[in-house]
Amino acid sequence: MSSYKRKSDRKLVFTEEILKDAKERIRRGQSQRSVAESLNVPESTLRKRLKAGTVPCSLGRFSNVFTPELDSNLAEHCRRLDLCFYGLTKKELGRVAYDLANKNGLNHRFNNDKKEASKKWVENFARRHNFSLRQPEKTSLARAAGFNRVQVQRFYDNLKQVLTTFKFFGRQIFNMDETGLQTVPNKLPKVYAKKGKKIVGKVVSAERGQTVTAVCCMGATGIFVPSALIFPRKRQKPELMGGAPEDSLQLVSDSGYMNSDLFIIWLNHFIKMVKPSKDEPALLILDNHSSHLSLQAIELARDHRVVLLSLAPHTSHRMQSLDTGFFGPLKKAYAVACDNWQVSNPGRAITQYQVARLFGTAYLKVGSIDRAKKSFESCGIWPFNDQIFSDEDFAPANVTDRPNPTAETSSTGEALNSSNLAVELPLTTTETVTQVVSSPIPVNTNISAPVIALSQLGGTETLESTDNHQEVITTPENDEPTPSKSSFLRPEDILPLPKSNIQKKRNIKRKKSEILTSSPYKNQIEAEQKEKEEKAKKTKKTSNKNKSTTPNRPTLLETSTGTEVVRCPLCAEVYVEPPDEDWIQCSQCGAWWHDECSDYLGFGVFKCDVCLTLMRTLN
């Protein structure tokens, strides 16, 4: 902010009411001196105002560039851009202010060379409208576009459906998710250092740490299912789980991440701990990662009275209870535990053998009934609240919103399968309930920039817009434009709200929130799996056929002394099955050569160097 401090305490005290009152008193016969004394204003000021017939609008020779209306409009436009995750930087705000003043023909003191407002003006504007420079958090385009009202409402419709059908209580509702624990935490606690020091360091185990995946699960009433830890190893080792929370499950995988086989093991662990039954089934809310969507997992859940409900893609940061209220504090507590361990064990590095103990310390510190309840409440899961998110929360998705094609293709009420979603409830044998969810994609129809046309010559210059809301009229020749109060170009005409123009349709099948244990979804998964198996069989047959008929591969013959040995005449390397390199056979002598060892160009008949040399000698 500017370091300027106002030196005077003068204020604008002479108003229209004071001037009107003074004129009325003088008309009644009072002197100007007595009127000035009674109104508590200097006599010279009163005489000056009576002579001019106006009141002062400022204390100095400088005036505001924008009218209060334009200034407020610019501030509101900045807020809208920020809601869409396209906030303005300091330079961008200065350029927009310059363009707004310049195109509206307003007198300004902005830099005409840089074409932007001064740094001081931007800082004063931010102070007036309660803005501050903030470091934004990186948000992927998929996450910004994925969190839209259609996808979110579909999840809440599915949630409402299972809640009313199975009459779930809070003790029966759970949420599971995975998070990564690194031997080198991403964030470290702050330390005291000398003011002005350029580099402040803190000892950690290594430059880059190993990742161990923690699988956590908590209930809406504060019940915590014992966690699982997935280590990036080939074999399990009991020593790795030293200090882990009680009844924790040890898992291993090559990558250290969750896969379909490990999810089956964890689901059995969940069933063992929660003990769902026919009278009290359990609802498990999880993301739609591919490891959670296997047919084996769906069948296991159906057999043990567990209803699986998936979230919409790219919405877990706002709709998953573990993400909104548990994993953040857990990561901070884990980083503190790692730092404390490093201080207590100088010279030693944190390895996989310490992760379980450090995780256990953080887990016991963060896991509380109150935190679990607030996490579910903040997502509108329990207590159920499908209006937990406002229009402002969905503003980033407006950038990529497109019209619903089903609304255009059917005017008789016949909608396509993408908008009418018939979902059969899972685990019901006596009755089937079908719910139709139909909600068009919202379309923002007022965010495109107007088409502006300027007359080239003449005494009158007009700015015309498709919105018919602006008109700037100038006097002939060298006079400056005098726009009316309602004729200004708006900030959104200078810099429209962002809108994607990509209309290309992708062939990727988009995921959405599903009741995974429902019969329609189970049948769909079975059909897809069967199709994949048939396709794999066809591919295998084709590859075997090509393999048997390929001409660039020697055929090893069995002789009385064993298998015939085939060597490349140039490098003398022995042919092995399957081959590592391409082989080619001479059309004259029948010898096999490495493709790289020959001078074959890839077309025509191949004759080896030996045959070509012999032919030249005979000729």
Side-chain angles (χ1 to χ4, degrees):
M1 291 295 181
S2 173
S3 59
Y4 171 77
K5 293 183 180 180
R6 193 166 181 266
K7 301 177 179 63
S8 173
D9 57 353
R10 290 190 305 147
K11 297 181 181 179
L12 289 174
V13 296
F14 206 95
T15 62
E16 289 282 357
E17 290 76 11
I18 295 177
L19 180 61
K20 186 178 179 180
D21 190 16
K23 287 181 179 180
E24 181 64 24
R25 293 187 183 190
I26 292 173
R27 189 181 64 80
R28 292 175 183 174
Q30 281 186 264
S31 65
Q32 293 183 0
R33 178 175 294 178
S34 61
V35 170
E37 289 178 357
S38 61
L39 295 177
N40 196 25
V41 294
E43 183 184 354
S44 58
T45 301
L46 179 61
R47 293 180 185 278
K48 182 179 179 181
R49 292 298 134 208
L50 289 172
K51 184 178 180 180
T54 60
V55 295
C57 57
S58 65
L59 290 174
R61 58 191 178 91
F62 296 113
S63 59
N64 294 329
V65 176
F66 300 118
T67 63
E69 181 184 0
L70 263 182
D71 201 60
S72 299
N73 287 345
L74 180 57
E76 183 61 28
H77 191 58
C78 291
R79 294 188 188 97
R80 290 176 184 171
L81 288 170
D82 177 54
L83 287 175
C84 295
F85 294 169
Y86 285 86
L88 297 178
T89 63
K90 204 169 187 178
K91 273 189 167 296
E92 289 170 349
L93 178 57
R95 289 168 185 165
V96 171
Y98 176 87
D99 290 339
L100 187 62
N102 203 40
K103 292 184 179 181
N104 279 313
L106 301 174
N107 291 325
H108 61 82
R109 302 176 301 280
F110 299 152
N111 193 323
N112 289 317
D113 295 331
K114 294 183 178 179
K115 298 187 182 301
E116 62 182 44
S118 64
K119 178 181 176 182
K120 183 178 178 180
W121 185 92
V122 172
E123 291 172 349
N124 289 334
F125 175 83
R127 187 190 299 112
R128 284 197 305 273
H129 297 285
N130 197 27
F131 287 135
S132 63
L133 275 178
R134 302 283 298 275
Q135 182 65 45
E137 182 180 348
K138 291 182 289 186
T139 306
S140 67
L141 181 61
R143 179 168 285 189
F147 188 76
N148 58 73
R149 186 174 291 280
V150 176
Q151 291 278 29
V152 171
Q153 190 59 46
R154 178 183 173 88
F155 167 77
Y156 284 113
D157 289 339
N158 289 337
L159 178 60
K160 184 178 181 181
Q161 184 176 340
V162 296
L163 289 178
T164 54
T165 303
F166 296 97
K167 297 179 174 55
F168 284 118
F169 293 98
R171 65 178 181 272
Q172 299 168 267
I173 302 173
F174 296 87
N175 173 224
M176 70 82 60
D177 194 20
E178 303 91 359
T179 187
L181 302 172
Q182 291 191 339
T183 54
V184 179
N186 293 326
K187 291 184 178 180
L188 297 174
K190 294 182 179 180
V191 298
Y192 280 103
K194 182 181 178 181
K195 192 173 182 179
K197 186 180 179 182
K198 293 184 178 180
I199 299 175
V200 178
K202 185 74 173 176
V203 173
V204 293
S205 299
E207 294 291 336
R208 299 174 64 181
Q210 290 181 306
T211 301
V212 176
T213 301
V215 186
C216 299
C217 181
M218 68 180 182
T221 57
I223 301 172
F224 284 84
V225 178
S227 57
L229 294 175
I230 306 175
F231 294 90
R233 299 173 61 87
K234 290 288 186 182
R235 298 178 184 84
Q236 294 187 4
K237 232 180 179 183
E239 293 86 349
L240 292 170
M241 297 298 289
E246 190 175 354
D247 292 330
S248 294
L249 179 65
Q250 181 184 10
L251 301 172
V252 294
S253 69
D254 293 343
S255 61
Y257 298 113
M258 177 66 81
N259 56 44
S260 300
D261 296 332
L262 294 183
F263 182 70
I264 298 296
I265 300 173
W266 182 89
L267 192 56
N268 280 306
H269 172 70
F270 172 80
I271 294 169
K272 177 183 176 183
M273 295 297 172
V274 177
K275 294 181 175 60
S277 62
K278 184 178 180 180
D279 297 331
E280 282 202 6
L283 172 61
L284 181 60
I285 300 172
L286 65 174
D287 58 37
N288 57 1
H289 191 264
S290 58
S291 62
H292 305 155
L293 308 179
S294 66
L295 181 60
Q296 187 179 355
I298 293 173
E299 291 176 343
L300 177 63
R302 287 169 63 96
D303 293 341
H304 291 84
R305 314 301 294 180
V306 177
V307 180
L308 300 180
L309 175 60
S310 69
L311 294 161
H314 307 295
T315 60
S316 60
H317 63 294
R318 299 295 302 274
M319 299 175 63
Q320 183 151 245
S321 306
L322 285 166
D323 274 343
T324 57
F326 184 75
F327 282 156
L330 177 68
K331 292 290 186 70
K332 290 181 181 178
Y334 176 76
V336 172
C338 289
D339 182 65
N340 292 340
W341 190 92
Q342 204 79 57
V343 172
S344 303
N345 300 270
R348 291 183 59 189
I350 297 175
T351 64
Q352 294 181 11
Y353 292 90
Q354 285 80 41
V355 170
R357 185 177 301 278
L358 298 174
F359 167 73
T361 303
Y363 187 82
L364 296 176
K365 182 179 180 181
V366 173
S368 64
I369 296 176
D370 188 52
R371 189 183 299 279
K373 286 183 176 180
K374 287 183 179 179
S375 299
F376 276 86
E377 186 178 352
S378 66
C379 300
I381 295 176
W382 188 265
F384 178 78
N385 182 11
D386 59 352
Q387 302 299 320
I388 193 73
F389 300 112
S390 63
D391 291 336
E392 291 185 355
D393 296 316
F394 299 115
N398 292 338
V399 177
T400 54
D401 274 350
R402 289 182 288 185
N404 190 355
T406 60
E408 301 175 2
T409 56
S410 176
S411 59
T412 61
E414 297 179 359
L416 298 179
N417 293 333
S418 60
S419 61
N420 288 346
L421 308 172
V423 181
E424 182 185 342
L425 287 178
L427 308 177
T428 55
T429 57
T430 58
E431 61 178 354
T432 300
V433 182
T434 301
Q435 180 181 15
V436 177
V437 182
S438 178
S439 55
I441 299 176
V443 182
N444 193 338
T445 58
N446 190 28
I447 61 174
S448 58
V451 180
I452 301 174
L454 287 176
S455 58
Q456 301 295 328
L457 297 172
T460 302
E461 205 173 59
T462 305
L463 293 176
E464 296 179 354
S465 166
T466 55
D467 292 338
N468 296 325
H469 65 273
Q470 54 219 359
E471 182 179 352
V472 180
I473 302 175
T474 62
T475 53
E477 301 280 313
N478 297 324
D479 292 345
E480 293 184 355
T482 309
S484 62
K485 290 184 179 180
S486 61
S487 64
F488 288 123
L489 277 169
R490 299 174 301 183
E492 50 265 38
D493 301 329
I494 305 297
L495 180 66
L497 291 174
K499 185 67 177 178
S500 173
N501 295 323
I502 300 176
Q503 300 295 334
K504 182 180 178 181
K505 294 184 178 179
R506 301 169 63 186
N507 295 326
I508 300 175
K509 188 175 181 181
R510 298 183 183 275
K511 296 181 180 180
K512 48 199 172 187
S513 173
E514 298 284 0
I515 304 174
L516 302 180
T517 45
S518 64
S519 296
Y521 187 80
K522 176 178 176 290
N523 296 337
Q524 177 186 340
I525 293 295
E526 287 177 342
E528 290 177 357
Q529 184 170 337
K530 187 176 180 181
E531 184 180 352
K532 287 180 181 179
E533 290 175 355
E534 291 177 354
K535 189 175 180 180
K537 288 180 181 178
K538 290 180 180 179
T539 305
K540 187 175 181 180
K541 288 180 180 179
T542 306
S543 61
N544 291 338
K545 185 178 179 182
N546 294 337
K547 180 178 177 180
S548 61
T549 58
T550 179
N552 292 338
R553 185 169 295 176
T555 302
L556 299 181
L557 300 177
E558 294 290 340
T559 62
S560 58
T561 58
T563 306
E564 181 184 357
V565 177
V566 178
R567 294 180 182 271
C568 174
L570 183 64
C571 64
E573 184 177 329
V574 178
Y575 172 80
V576 293
E577 187 69 36
D580 296 330
E581 301 178 70
D582 291 335
W583 290 71
I584 188 169
Q585 189 178 26
C586 176
S587 60
Q588 190 158 343
C589 67
W592 286 92
W593 289 66
H594 278 131
D595 193 11
E596 294 292 333
C597 295
S598 69
D599 57 356
Y600 184 56
L601 300 178
F603 56 88
V605 179
F606 168 64
K607 292 183 180 180
C608 65
D609 295 342
V610 177
C611 295
L612 290 175
T613 304
L614 182 60
M615 289 174 61
R616 293 191 192 100
T617 304
L618 294 176
N619 293 333

